[in-house]
Amino acid sequence: MSDPGELIIEPKNGQPADACVFILHGLGADGSDFEPLVPAMGLPRSLNVRFIMPHAPRLPVTVNGGMVMPAWYDILAMDLGRRVDTLQLKRSAERIQALIQEQIDQGMDSRRIIVAGFSQGGAVAYHTALTFPAPLGGLLAMSTYLATGESLEPGDANRGLAIEVHHGSFDPVVPESLGRAGADALKAKGYGVNYRQYPMAHALCPQQVNDIGKWLQARLA
């Protein structure tokens, strides 16, 4: 898969970043999709956070008639199990892990790096964070599912990872039951997961944006 780069937003206060948040977009979007989230969260200017929003490569997507679009991996069927191209998903996760490692190599403490993802990007975020070899600061999974649950081999470094899972009650794209199933599967493996449900469809709502801001501030303050 080609590497189309990423959108990077540096701290608005002009200070060097000492924390980093990766946000992975959903199918058919790009990194700029979540650019408006940054000011909407109302984070204090004292937080020196760098936001990195990678762009997915363009791939043919089977469930969309083979149409080529930004996608982290191919979706083979839209049944409840969400059959996906697991190899492509894992390659996308490896790409994000390489970007995380770049931040660490530049002096960023891995515990101040958070991985977030929405929908398809959330499935990649799950795999990225749970298999990363160094302890991270947190994982935020939004309106998504644990696509690699059966083949996932979590590393020991993030057994204590703070995991926040958000889902809409009226999501017509990724049923809320899939979001809850992923959270429950991780709880069964011993992970601490906080699950929040919102009265929304496949999107973000104002209360959720507020909660995300508070959660990030608690993790990075």
Side-chain angles (χ1 to χ4, degrees):
M1 292 185 293
S2 62
D3 182 348
E6 53 275 339
L7 171 66
I8 300 176
I9 302 175
E10 296 290 354
K12 297 301 183 184
N13 60 11
Q15 297 299 311
D18 60 15
C20 184
V21 177
F22 285 84
I23 306 179
L24 311 184
H25 63 78
L27 179 67
D30 63 25
S32 62
D33 199 45
F34 278 91
E35 188 173 4
L37 176 64
V38 176
M41 289 186 295
L43 296 175
R45 288 179 61 83
S46 57
L47 284 183
N48 305 320
V49 184
R50 172 182 296 128
F51 289 88
I52 299 181
M53 303 173 186
H55 308 305
R58 295 181 62 83
L59 302 171
V61 178
T62 299
V63 296
N64 287 343
M67 184 181 298
V68 176
M69 62 183 63
W72 298 106
Y73 53 86
D74 188 17
I75 301 175
L76 306 174
M78 289 293 283
D79 55 15
L80 195 59
R82 281 298 195 284
R83 289 194 297 115
V84 308
D85 189 317
T86 302
L87 180 59
Q88 287 179 342
L89 189 157
K90 291 180 178 179
R91 284 176 177 169
S92 286
E94 289 171 357
R95 173 190 160 198
I96 304 305
Q97 288 180 338
L99 293 175
I100 294 172
Q101 189 59 50
E102 285 181 7
Q103 295 297 308
I104 296 171
D105 292 344
Q106 293 170 16
M108 188 79 68
D109 184 344
S110 68
R111 294 174 179 84
R112 293 185 61 75
I113 298 176
I114 287 176
V115 181
F118 177 83
S119 195
Q120 205 190 49
V124 176
Y126 266 133
H127 198 87
T128 298
L130 295 174
T131 63
F132 195 71
L136 297 171
L139 166 63
L140 172 62
M142 301 173 284
S143 302
T144 190
Y145 53 103
L146 187 59
T148 54
E150 294 184 0
S151 61
L152 183 67
E153 297 181 2
D156 292 333
N158 284 292
R159 287 288 179 179
L161 184 66
I163 303 175
E164 184 88 354
V165 179
H166 294 178
H167 217 104
S169 306
F170 312 115
D171 192 331
V173 178
V174 180
E176 191 270 335
S177 59
L178 278 183
R180 187 175 294 275
D184 289 344
L186 291 180
K187 288 179 181 178
K189 293 178 181 291
Y191 288 92
V193 181
N194 184 47
Y195 187 86
R196 297 178 189 260
Q197 187 174 335
Y198 299 89
M200 64 182 185
H202 196 63
L204 301 186
C205 67
Q207 181 58 55
Q208 180 188 15
V209 171
N210 184 60
D211 290 340
I212 293 172
K214 290 180 178 179
W215 182 75
L216 287 179
Q217 187 172 347
R219 300 305 308 164
L220 300 177

